[in-house]
Amino acid sequence: MKTISSKKISWIALIVFNCMVFTSLAKADTDSLNLPTLGDAGSSELTVQDERLLGELIIKDYRAFGSVINDDLINSYLNQLGERIVRAAGEQSANYEFFLVADTAINAFALPGGFIGVHTGLITAARSEDELASVLAHEVAHVSQRHIARLYGQQKNASLVSTAALIAAMLVASSNPQAAQGLITAGAGFQIDKRLSFTREVEREADRVGYNTLVNAGFEPKAMVTFFGRLQQSSRFYENNAPAYLRTHPLTTERIADIQNRVGMSRSKVEPLNSVKPALDFDLIRMRALLYADKTGQQIRDRIESLNASNALQQSGFFYPQTLQYGLSLLLEKQNKLDEALAIISQLIQEQTKPISVVQKNTPKLSLALASQQIQLLIKLRIAQTGSNGLQANQRTQQQLSAEDQKLLQTFQRFKDAYPDLLLVKIQYAKGLQSLGLFADSETYLRELLLIAGSQTEIYELLARAELVSGNHAEHHLLLARAYDTRGAYRAGIEQTQIARRLAGDRFYLRSEIESFENSLKQKADRERKATESFKN
């Protein structure tokens, strides 16, 4: 694991309120279903704008730590699911972003400003979309009820160093208990009892608000009970290995009882809901999340052996044999056995009632996960064969394509037409164009997409590649600067604009655009620096 500096931990710790769903400090009072009012969030020192800025600062540091996964498929799925929940909560979907974290711990957490992290372990543990939605609804409630602003306001008179130590420990506890213990020791002077009391109330309110949101979004409310109940045993594993300050006993019994009362269920009549299979794509997403833990060659080989076992489906916890085959394709891709991986996916697609070649526009019947994997492998194979994404790639027109490449282009186009509303599909289509050497076509398509989708990192990166192949080096570096801007990496963006300015020569309009954007980046970097100093003080 990458080592994170004490300075970075202190900064993350100062702000983050880690809403650890199954390793939380909550112990609900079930004497009454009327949950307490936590106080006026508006009395806090943090405004909504402050929270958003804090979230942006933290997510940038968290990404730098290396745990955030840029998986287009899972992130797209999480944000679609999250958008449904956010709307049901009466919130604006534009104010929320769901992101994936490479961690096998069963956990999710909310950052200031609507950034919600979901661990791969949580996705794998869920047995249905309803169960996963119940957790996301809980996390959205933490944001919508402004629990972070309230925490900041309540602790404004406490030692910020001690507060930082405890919250940082909560953030890293699930994956590194020893580090968490050290951080807690550093903050031993903090008023622990007061902090725990606030957290109990916060968790109870998040359960109540999250439950109502789950119902409003049309999900099965019993899923919240079954998921919490099934994971109660798992939570004990974390309790036995986490620092004492982060443990409770029992972890979720009272919260389960509270939710059961809301659903109108008795403890003896809780049904597991596992008799109904989830959608195939959800099962495939779970498999994709699971395999992020397999990194070494031996781990990959062991997983392949387990997926090929005769009783693999019964032992795996998955619902469909196609899911196991999909997992094998992903693992073979990790081993760079692209032809074998593609053969598996192609066979799965052929078994679909409507394969990709005859999918009707606007009514996709084919699993998105399978179709996306097929396209990704086709692109990788094309690049491996021709080097068409390299620095020396040749630009071609559609008329110059071979018959085989024309057929491949038609496959990319059918894929795009089958899923007309998904950004990840549009971006994969642009990558497909570039793999065929159609950089001019990809640039035209991407610039149109930019007008629709807004500033997106991958769009700028693909445009930068197209400009590089065309020999437009100044434009290439300007687009890289815009890509860095979308990630909040303003200093790196400024470096790119400086390179672009030198390469622009005497082209007045281009130089003016570059200088204007460079000034914008400098203003953002200065604003970020001042905000950091303000919050630290």
Side-chain angles (χ1 to χ4, degrees):
M1 179 178 288
K2 182 178 178 180
T3 302
I4 185 169
S5 69
S6 59
K7 181 177 180 181
K8 187 177 293 294
I9 285 179
S10 296
W11 171 229
I12 295 176
L14 178 62
I15 310 302
V16 176
F17 179 80
N18 186 29
C19 308
M20 302 186 74
V21 180
F22 305 113
T23 55
S24 73
L25 301 170
K27 184 178 181 182
D29 179 4
T30 56
D31 293 338
S32 170
L33 295 182
N34 295 319
L35 298 177
T37 299
L38 299 183
D40 179 13
S43 64
S44 150
E45 290 186 357
L46 285 183
T47 66
V48 173
Q49 292 75 19
D50 286 337
E51 283 193 80
R52 185 68 184 183
L53 178 57
L54 286 172
E56 290 172 354
L57 292 171
I58 296 165
I59 193 66
K60 187 170 82 168
D61 274 355
Y62 204 57
R63 290 184 190 279
F65 181 41
S67 293
V68 177
I69 302 174
N70 294 320
D71 186 299
D72 290 341
L73 182 64
I74 300 183
N75 280 324
S76 176
Y77 170 78
L78 287 176
N79 279 280
Q80 287 185 74
L81 183 62
E83 181 177 356
R84 178 177 167 186
I85 293 166
V86 167
R87 288 181 175 177
E91 296 282 294
Q92 295 293 320
S93 58
N95 297 332
Y96 286 77
E97 179 183 335
F98 297 80
F99 60 95
L100 186 65
V101 177
D103 196 320
T104 58
I106 302 169
N107 190 21
F109 58 89
L111 300 177
F115 298 95
I116 295 176
V118 181
H119 285 203
T120 52
L122 176 68
I123 297 174
T124 304
R127 293 294 182 267
S128 70
E129 188 171 76
D130 298 275
E131 290 188 349
L132 180 58
S134 71
V135 177
L136 298 189
H138 178 99
E139 297 306 318
V140 167
H142 278 303
V143 177
S144 67
Q145 301 307 301
R146 303 202 59 214
H147 289 157
I148 298 160
R150 297 179 188 187
L151 174 65
Y152 189 90
Q154 282 203 3
Q155 305 302 338
K156 61 186 177 183
N157 295 323
S159 164
L160 291 180
V161 174
S162 300
T163 305
L166 181 64
I167 301 177
M170 294 176 68
L171 179 63
V172 302
S174 62
S175 58
N176 195 338
Q178 292 75 23
Q181 181 64 69
L183 288 166
I184 283 185
T185 301
F190 183 66
Q191 299 176 7
I192 296 294
D193 290 340
K194 182 178 180 181
R195 175 67 179 86
L196 296 184
S197 176
F198 184 88
T199 303
R200 293 188 191 103
E201 294 180 350
V202 161
E203 291 298 317
R204 293 169 65 199
E205 183 173 61
D207 282 340
R208 173 179 62 82
V209 175
Y211 172 83
N212 291 336
T213 297
L214 195 66
V215 172
N216 292 338
F219 291 101
E220 172 53 65
K222 287 191 291 185
M224 183 177 282
V225 180
T226 57
F227 199 21
F228 276 36
R230 190 176 70 251
L231 292 172
Q232 197 169 17
Q233 294 297 321
S234 298
S235 70
R236 290 174 183 169
F237 171 81
Y238 293 109
E239 287 178 354
N240 293 335
N241 290 274
Y245 292 132
L246 303 181
R247 297 201 301 259
T248 61
H249 57 286
L251 185 64
T252 59
T253 300
E254 290 81 5
R255 288 170 66 188
I256 291 175
D258 188 2
I259 301 167
Q260 283 174 336
N261 287 333
R262 295 181 183 280
V263 182
M265 303 157 56
S266 70
R267 295 187 182 185
S268 61
K269 295 182 180 179
V270 176
E271 298 176 4
L273 299 178
N274 287 345
S275 59
V276 179
K277 283 186 177 182
L280 173 60
D281 259 320
F282 177 74
D283 214 37
L284 298 175
I285 289 290
R286 290 177 60 227
M287 174 61 79
R288 192 176 184 91
L290 173 69
L291 297 185
Y292 271 104
D294 298 333
K295 298 179 181 179
T296 69
Q298 187 60 52
Q299 288 173 329
I300 294 172
R301 289 190 293 272
D302 289 345
R303 184 74 70 180
I304 290 176
E305 182 178 354
S306 69
L307 293 181
N308 279 321
S310 58
N311 63 343
L313 191 60
Q314 293 80 6
Q315 296 297 318
S316 67
F318 292 94
F319 295 89
Y320 297 91
Q322 294 97 318
T323 303
L324 305 187
Q325 292 299 302
Y326 176 69
L328 286 172
S329 177
L330 294 174
L331 292 167
L332 289 169
E333 182 185 2
K334 286 187 177 186
Q335 293 180 323
N336 205 33
K337 298 178 180 179
L338 302 181
D339 287 310
E340 294 179 44
L342 180 60
I344 290 175
I345 290 298
S346 297
Q347 179 62 36
L348 290 175
I349 288 176
Q350 283 184 349
E351 293 169 359
Q352 297 280 308
T353 56
K354 288 184 180 292
I356 196 168
S357 60
V358 293
V359 169
Q360 296 180 1
K361 188 174 182 180
N362 298 324
T363 57
K365 300 297 183 183
L366 180 67
S367 156
L368 173 60
L370 295 181
S372 177
Q373 175 69 355
Q374 182 193 49
I375 296 300
Q376 178 171 304
L377 289 168
L378 287 171
I379 291 172
K380 282 191 172 184
L381 278 167
R382 183 65 176 72
I383 293 172
Q385 293 165 358
T386 64
S388 54
N389 262 25
L391 296 180
Q392 304 302 320
N394 293 321
Q395 188 161 199
R396 299 194 294 173
T397 65
Q398 292 190 27
Q399 289 70 30
Q400 294 173 312
L401 296 181
S402 66
E404 183 178 353
D405 283 346
Q406 288 281 2
K407 183 178 179 180
L408 189 55
L409 175 60
Q410 292 172 7
T411 300
F412 295 154
Q413 290 171 336
R414 285 193 295 269
F415 175 62
K416 173 177 65 71
D417 292 341
Y419 305 90
D421 300 322
L422 295 181
L423 179 61
L424 78 94
V425 171
K426 297 177 188 297
I427 289 177
Q428 273 193 287
Y429 173 69
K431 290 178 179 178
L433 292 177
Q434 293 193 358
S435 73
L436 293 169
L438 302 174
F439 288 96
D441 288 355
S442 76
E443 181 177 357
T444 300
Y445 178 75
L446 287 165
R447 291 198 181 278
E448 292 174 354
L449 182 58
L450 197 61
L451 296 175
I452 300 171
S455 297
Q456 299 286 335
T457 303
E458 279 200 288
I459 295 179
Y460 284 128
E461 289 175 342
L462 289 170
L463 278 170
R465 181 179 297 153
E467 293 289 8
L468 181 63
V469 171
S470 299
N472 300 322
H473 297 286
E475 290 85 346
H476 165 73
H477 287 282
L478 175 58
L479 286 162
L480 287 180
R482 294 190 182 281
Y484 279 122
D485 177 42
T486 63
R487 294 197 294 262
Y490 305 125
R491 295 299 177 188
I494 291 170
E495 291 177 2
Q496 291 298 320
T497 57
Q498 291 171 344
I499 297 172
R501 187 155 36 84
R502 290 197 298 270
L503 294 172
D506 58 358
R507 289 181 285 174
F508 175 78
Y509 291 109
L510 178 59
R511 283 184 62 90
S512 297
E513 180 184 357
I514 295 170
E515 289 171 358
S516 175
F517 187 62
E518 183 176 343
N519 289 333
S520 173
L521 289 174
K522 288 179 178 178
Q523 290 173 7
K524 290 180 180 179
D526 188 57
R527 185 163 59 248
E528 181 180 272
R529 177 186 59 79
K530 291 178 179 178
T532 302
E533 293 175 353
S534 173
F535 287 123
K536 284 185 177 180
N537 294 328

